[in-house]
Amino acid sequence: KTFHFYFIAQDDSCPIPGIRYQSILIHLTSPPILPSPEIKCVNVSSSNDVTFTWSIPADPTNSFHHYTLYHSNTLNGIYDSVAGITNYNQNQFTIPAGANVLSDYYFIRAFGCSGYVASPPTDTVRPILLTVNNPANGTALLFWNNFTQPLPTTSCNYYRIYKEYPSGIWTLIDSTIGNSFTDTITVCQATINYRVEICDQIGCVSTSTVDGDLFFDQTDPDIPNLDSVSINSIGNAVLGWSASNSNDVIAYIVYQQFGGIYVPIDTLLGLNSTFYNYLNSNADAGSETFVIAALDSCGNISNLGAPQHTIFLQINFDKCNRACNISWNQYINMINGGVGSYELLFSVNGGPFNLLQSLNSTFYLHDSLIPGTTICYRVRARSANGNITSVSNRECFTVTSPQQPGFFYLKRITVNALQQIEIDGLVDNSVGISLSGFNLFRAENFSGPYQLIGSQPYSGNANFTIIDTDVNTSDKNYSYFMIVKDSCNNPGLKTDTSTTILCKVSPNDDFTNTVNWSEYGRWLGGINTYSIYRSINGIFAPTPIATVLFTGAGNYSYSDNIEQFTPNDGKFEYRIEAEEGPGNPYGISERSSSNLADVYREAEIFVPNAFSPKGYNKIFLPVTQFVSKSDYDLKIYNRWGLIIWETKDDTEGWDGGNNEGGVYIWQVQYKNARGEYIEKIGKVVLLR
């Protein structure tokens, strides 16, 4: 505003207007307003004094009069003056600890023009109140407020967290832009205090209140990473792992799985004790599973790490195909990307292990193996990045072929009572001999051709018998040999060839039978004699009727006089029995029988045509020759056709009885040696 003034002089004693003087022009402007000072830091001392630090506002007109600090116990309450500071260059003020110092809200203003003009109000500030919670789980939970919101543009923005442990020693442990922090307790038991600070670019620091509690370390140490489990050259499981990231770890506990339960088997002292040789391992007999846990100085045990188990390699040698089937269990939880490949290693005859094959599977067939060589296998699992390996147990074997018997001998071939051919063999059944059976070959001629007619499994006995039922021993002799089958069914040793004895018999007109037979072939002891056995009326005598020495003639013959046996049925059977000579290398002596050769003599009956009870021929008696005794029937008829006499005994005759002389009819029925019934009828004259 602009004002005009003028003055008039007037004498008090005279009311006459005085002289008017020249007027004066005065121009008034608004008073200067100082910029607001900005509180940059609020520092709480260890005794809870609160110091405020602010920026000094510019005062180009030198109008500064004083600073006034205000406070209120609520954010929106009535603010009272705390202090007035008249020193323009003073930028700090400390309020001693008091009842409401830490909980009040504050702001500051600058006054100029003799204290009548105030700067605009600034944002309120408040001391940083730190609260530390103890959830009793081995952590400390810190929470605090910003001393102003937002923070000054010159703030460092990061809160630095300090921990007091041991007492009197404050250590910076971390920093954060937030208003909370979780600290993991790493001491077993202690009272721990905390404070937070945040700096400003003008050089001041805002410090919080101090808070703390009695804490216990209940935090499990970090889980150690199990690198690998392997099997060393003597069959022990060996484990390697990386050290725990928890520095207070004092030991590692090794667990082994038994029946699905992890049981501690050993404890290794020291943070860097990261290798274990399990002396009680049985990893050569099966896969073993392990885990590792860390133990800290406060007795806290980490969670169990991921289990890993040893690789158990197994082999199955196929002797028949000279191949080895190799298999192993899958390796699990390998670090560094898991298993990248399995490297199958092998050693021949004690030599170094070399790579046989790199595989993604857990099995392999190693074939074309050379008998007599000793081969060992191991498998090595390699991680995807190639840095970690795990080696299995070692399995060895010697490549073998089925063991052949030392001998295989055809002891004898013989015709049994059922007219089948029994083939008796002798084979080496020593320990280790493993056979599947025998193949039997037959020919109707010694020179062949031979055909496979059957097989028999091996029972494990040295002596065995095969019976050939598809034969006609009455008409043919047969030659045989056998070939042993090893455990792979492959043919092995062949026996010698032996031939049965074929016996034939023919009747002669002079009451003799001629017996012919072929030579038995062959025995290692040679042939000593041939014995001839004869059956009359179906019964063989226990002793031979003759014995013939071996001559090597090939075919033999014998004439048997049967005249004395005419009252018999007329059926004669013969068999030949060969006896082995001395000198068989297996210490045995065998006998072989031929087939049964039979011959039928024709039944004959001679009937007289007259007889006289008082004469020379006193009875009527037909004379029989080679007639069956069990099927004989003689009847006498009179002229009227009535049977007047009968007998079934061919040695009983008719004496005529009380009958008168004359012509009578006779009828005779009988059976010959072949079983054929014959009937004859005639007349006889009874003379008186």
Side-chain angles (χ1 to χ4, degrees):
K1 294 181 180 180
T2 301
F3 298 90
H4 294 272
F5 297 91
Y6 62 90
F7 300 91
I8 299 176
Q10 181 178 344
D11 187 352
D12 290 339
S13 64
C14 182
I16 300 173
I19 302 172
R20 179 179 179 182
Y21 293 92
Q22 183 179 359
S23 66
I24 301 173
L25 177 63
I26 300 175
H27 181 70
L28 298 177
T29 61
S30 298
I33 300 174
L34 292 174
S36 296
E38 183 179 10
I39 296 176
K40 298 290 187 178
C41 297
V42 179
N43 182 69
V44 180
S45 70
S46 60
S47 59
N48 286 339
D49 296 337
V50 180
T51 298
F52 300 90
T53 301
W54 60 86
S55 60
I56 299 174
D59 184 16
T61 61
N62 293 319
S63 63
F64 172 82
H65 185 268
H66 70 273
Y67 300 109
T68 299
L69 183 65
Y70 298 90
H71 80 101
S72 173
N73 55 13
T74 62
L75 178 63
N76 297 317
I78 299 174
Y79 284 82
D80 297 323
S81 172
V82 176
I85 300 100
T86 59
N87 183 354
Y88 169 73
N89 292 314
Q90 181 178 341
N91 69 339
Q92 285 187 337
F93 184 79
T94 300
I95 300 177
N100 298 318
V101 169
L102 299 177
S103 61
D104 283 356
Y105 294 86
Y106 301 86
F107 72 89
I108 191 170
R109 300 178 80 176
F111 287 83
C113 293
S114 301
Y116 293 103
V117 180
S119 63
T122 60
D123 289 337
T124 58
V125 297
R126 188 184 187 192
I128 302 174
L129 302 178
L130 174 65
T131 300
V132 177
N133 293 335
N134 184 357
N137 63 358
T139 62
L141 307 180
L142 285 64
F143 303 94
W144 62 90
N145 59 284
N146 291 327
F147 72 89
T148 185
Q149 188 65 35
L151 291 172
T153 57
T154 55
S155 172
C156 298
N157 293 323
Y158 280 87
Y159 287 97
R160 293 177 293 180
I161 297 99
Y162 288 85
K163 175 164 62 176
E164 183 189 18
Y165 177 80
S167 180
I169 306 298
W170 286 91
T171 304
L172 176 65
I173 60 173
D174 211 337
S175 63
T176 178
I177 62 174
N179 295 91
S180 64
F181 181 76
T182 299
D183 184 32
T184 300
I185 306 302
T186 59
V187 293
C188 299
Q189 177 181 344
T191 297
I192 301 175
N193 293 320
Y194 296 89
R195 74 169 189 261
V196 297
E197 295 180 356
I198 186 168
C199 65
D200 193 89
Q201 294 176 14
I202 69 169
C204 64
V205 176
S206 295
T207 303
S208 72
T209 56
V210 174
D211 195 15
D213 201 353
L214 177 63
F215 290 95
F216 299 88
D217 181 1
Q218 296 178 326
T219 303
D220 295 339
D222 289 341
I223 300 172
N225 287 324
L226 187 58
D227 290 338
S228 67
V229 292
S230 289
I231 303 174
N232 62 18
S233 59
I234 60 175
N236 291 343
V238 291
L239 290 70
W241 60 90
S242 57
S244 173
N245 294 325
S246 302
N247 293 328
D248 63 337
V249 166
I250 61 169
Y252 298 97
I253 304 173
V254 182
Y255 295 82
Q256 184 179 2
Q257 188 183 73
F258 294 100
I261 300 174
Y262 287 104
V263 178
I265 58 173
D266 212 339
T267 300
L268 283 75
L269 300 178
L271 174 64
N272 295 313
S273 298
T274 58
F275 177 81
Y276 181 63
N277 182 4
Y278 184 25
L279 299 180
N280 293 326
S281 175
N282 196 24
D284 272 345
S287 179
E288 298 178 337
T289 302
F290 302 92
V291 293
I292 304 294
L295 173 69
D296 66 17
S297 58
C298 300
N300 297 312
I301 300 176
S302 72
N303 290 330
L304 299 180
Q308 293 186 7
H309 47 224
T310 57
I311 303 174
F312 179 53
L313 180 142
Q314 302 178 80
I315 60 175
N316 183 18
F317 174 57
D318 183 353
K319 183 163 49 177
C320 299
N321 294 314
R322 288 189 291 125
C324 186
N325 290 284
I326 311 159
S327 62
W328 57 92
N329 59 288
Q330 188 176 13
Y331 195 83
I332 62 170
N333 297 325
M334 177 172 275
I335 63 174
N336 293 350
V339 176
S341 64
Y342 294 101
E343 298 169 348
L344 182 59
L345 311 173
F346 78 119
S347 165
V348 178
N349 294 330
F353 278 89
N354 296 310
L355 179 64
L356 176 62
Q357 192 72 39
S358 183
L359 304 159
N360 291 321
S361 60
T362 57
F363 59 89
Y364 184 74
L365 177 65
H366 191 194
D367 56 8
S368 302
L369 304 179
I370 300 174
T373 58
T374 298
I375 302 179
C376 296
Y377 297 100
R378 301 185 83 176
V379 68
R380 179 170 59 205
R382 185 176 293 277
S383 63
N385 70 354
N387 294 334
I388 302 294
T389 60
S390 173
V391 181
S392 75
N393 59 306
R394 178 171 58 183
E395 286 293 321
C396 302
F397 74 103
T398 299
V399 182
T400 60
S401 297
Q403 185 174 348
Q404 294 289 334
F407 59 86
F408 187 31
Y409 176 56
L410 198 59
K411 292 198 304 181
R412 72 164 185 174
I413 54 175
T414 187
V415 180
N416 63 19
L418 299 177
Q419 298 304 286
Q420 303 163 338
I421 297 179
E422 292 183 8
I423 301 97
D424 295 332
L426 177 67
V427 68
D428 180 12
N429 67 338
S430 305
V431 175
I433 300 296
S434 179
L435 306 176
S436 64
F438 313 99
N439 286 335
L440 179 64
F441 293 83
R442 183 186 72 192
E444 296 179 5
N445 215 287
F446 184 82
S447 59
Y450 287 85
Q451 292 182 333
L452 175 65
I453 63 167
S455 298
Q456 178 165 303
Y458 175 54
S459 65
N461 296 322
N463 295 282
F464 63 92
T465 298
I466 301 177
I467 297 178
D468 185 7
T469 60
D470 185 22
V471 289
N472 183 3
T473 55
S474 297
D475 293 332
K476 301 176 182 178
N477 58 357
Y478 298 90
S479 296
Y480 296 89
F481 67 81
M482 287 189 290
I483 294 178
V484 73
K485 295 188 296 182
D486 63 23
S487 57
C488 299
N489 277 325
N490 295 321
L493 287 180
K494 174 181 175 295
T495 67
D496 51 333
T497 302
S498 294
T499 305
T500 59
I501 304 170
L502 176 62
C503 178
K504 298 265 187 188
V505 61
S506 58
N508 301 312
D509 294 336
D510 58 355
F511 292 101
T512 61
N513 292 331
T514 300
V515 183
N516 297 289
W517 65 92
S518 62
E519 186 174 298
Y520 178 81
R522 305 173 179 169
W523 276 318
L524 292 179
I527 299 172
N528 189 21
T529 60
Y530 292 102
S531 296
I532 306 163
Y533 290 84
R534 178 181 61 204
S535 165
I536 301 174
N537 297 336
I539 300 174
F540 271 98
T543 58
I545 61 172
T547 298
V548 177
L549 292 175
F550 172 72
T551 63
N555 292 299
Y556 296 83
S557 180
Y558 177 77
S559 179
D560 182 26
N561 189 330
I562 59 170
E563 184 175 2
Q564 59 180 316
F565 304 114
T566 55
N568 291 286
D569 289 356
K571 179 181 179 181
F572 296 87
E573 287 183 306
Y574 297 87
R575 68 179 178 87
I576 308 300
E577 186 175 84
E579 179 186 20
E580 185 176 7
N584 188 297
Y586 302 110
I588 57 179
S589 179
E590 290 291 344
R591 303 179 78 89
S592 175
S593 291
S594 72
N595 60 296
L596 293 180
D598 54 21
V599 63
Y600 299 92
R601 303 298 299 212
E602 293 301 328
E604 297 287 348
I605 187 166
F606 303 97
V607 184
N609 56 12
F611 73 101
S612 173
K614 295 181 180 181
Y616 180 76
N617 293 323
K618 293 182 171 52
I619 62 173
F620 173 70
L621 177 63
V623 178
T624 62
Q625 179 178 297
F626 304 124
V627 170
S628 173
K629 303 300 183 183
S630 61
D631 294 280
Y632 176 82
D633 186 29
L634 173 63
K635 296 182 179 68
I636 304 296
Y637 296 87
N638 61 20
R639 69 185 65 182
W640 295 282
L642 297 176
I643 298 175
I644 60 174
W645 186 80
E646 181 178 12
T647 184
K648 293 184 179 298
D649 184 354
D650 67 346
T651 63
E652 181 184 7
W654 179 45
D655 62 1
N658 296 323
N659 296 289
E660 62 184 17
V663 177
Y664 291 85
I665 304 299
W666 57 264
Q667 179 188 43
V668 64
Q669 291 180 331
Y670 60 90
K671 186 170 70 175
N672 63 17
R674 293 187 179 86
E676 301 169 339
Y677 284 93
I678 300 172
E679 181 181 75
K680 291 186 177 183
I681 299 175
K683 297 177 181 179
V684 63
V685 177
L686 172 60
L687 300 174
R688 288 293 184 181

